[in-house]
Amino acid sequence: MVRFGTASAVPGERDTGRLEVGETRDGSSVGLPVAVVNGAADGKTLYIQAASDGDELNGVGVIQRVLPRLDPSEIAGTIIVCGIVNYHAFQVAEHRNPIDDTKMNRAYPGDDTGTSSERIAAATFDAAIGADLVLDLHQGSTSRMIEECRVRCGTRHRLHSECLELAKVFGCGHILDQKGPDGQLARAAPDEGVPTIDPELGGCVGWDEESIRKGVDGVFNVLTYYGFLDGHYSPTPQTRASGFEQYGAPAGGLVDFQTDLGERVSRGETLFEITDVFGQVKETITADSSGIFWRSRRLPQVATGEYVCSVGTDIDTY
């Protein structure tokens, strides 16, 4: 029997339920939607979660499409899922948990007697570190972004090669291989011996079918490669960046991008211009390094110092 919250399944069965993580302000129970798919044969355990940032919905779309296709009788091992991690933020379509104004993916490994976000992080972290592999599904939130997998443990970590392999198997096409900030699940779970990545499935608030499709393909790549499902999958080379440069606006106005997501840029090449409302160019911003145009803001208007875009640097093929 495998249990996760109120979901429980013996080998060859599946179940859904709720993982209780506290109460709302009126005393109602807060239960995260969870699922267990317990394969008929023995094997590894995969933990998948989505929406740890409440406005990043593409991961929820992936889970919604993957779960109905999983037949326990055809699976070796166990798949454990939390469909919505940041419950409070999801309810109001916000990035951060409005109960404690916290970004959930900075709260791991959590604290089961702490704040709302710390308690949710602790409950889901317990599931993550009980698995053999972890997929923490994200997207660019309000920014436009290429599909990528982030390896956040750092190149000197003892599990770096295992995390990098998992990212290659998922197969978004791009990997950001750079140590992440404290509190990320993909940074904390490898410290407990569990290879973990956070696929970033496109960007901008909403529901993008192409990014969701790539996420679904990525999950099934993992399930096949690691033996949960019969079949053979050979990972393809991925474009890897180990550096990440961010660019802000040197003046206020409207952004006019001169390159598109995923394009190669050279050092000194124009990334964007800032114009006034009459179309006059106020500033021209060029790339500090060669790389790939990785991420950009969605809305054109900016104030001085506001985030505009990012370039992935130190590019190779893995």
Side-chain angles (χ1 to χ4, degrees), residues 125-146:
F125 191 67
D126 283 346
I129 62 175
D132 297 292
L133 304 162
V134 173
L135 302 177
D136 182 16
L137 303 177
H138 287 266
Q139 72 184 78
S141 186
T142 58
S143 297
R144 299 168 58 243
M145 184 186 288
I146 61 176

Side-chain angles (χ1 to χ4, degrees), residues 4 7 15-19 31-36 47-67 79-87 90-91 108 120 124 127 135-139 207:
F4 186 29
D15 192 23
T16 60
R18 293 277 171 171
L19 176 65
L32 312 182
V34 297
V36 173
Y47 173 68
I48 309 174
Q49 70 174 33
S52 70
D53 298 313
D55 59 351
E56 297 185 7
L57 304 181
N58 285 339
V60 181
V62 171
I63 288 170
Q64 188 183 58
R65 288 154 177 76
V66 166
L67 263 292
I79 301 158
I80 299 173
V81 180
C82 181
I84 297 167
V85 174
N86 199 337
Y87 175 91
F90 180 85
Q91 299 300 323
Y108 286 94
I120 294 172
T124 52
L135 302 177
D136 182 16
L137 303 177
H138 287 266
Q139 72 184 78
W207 192 259

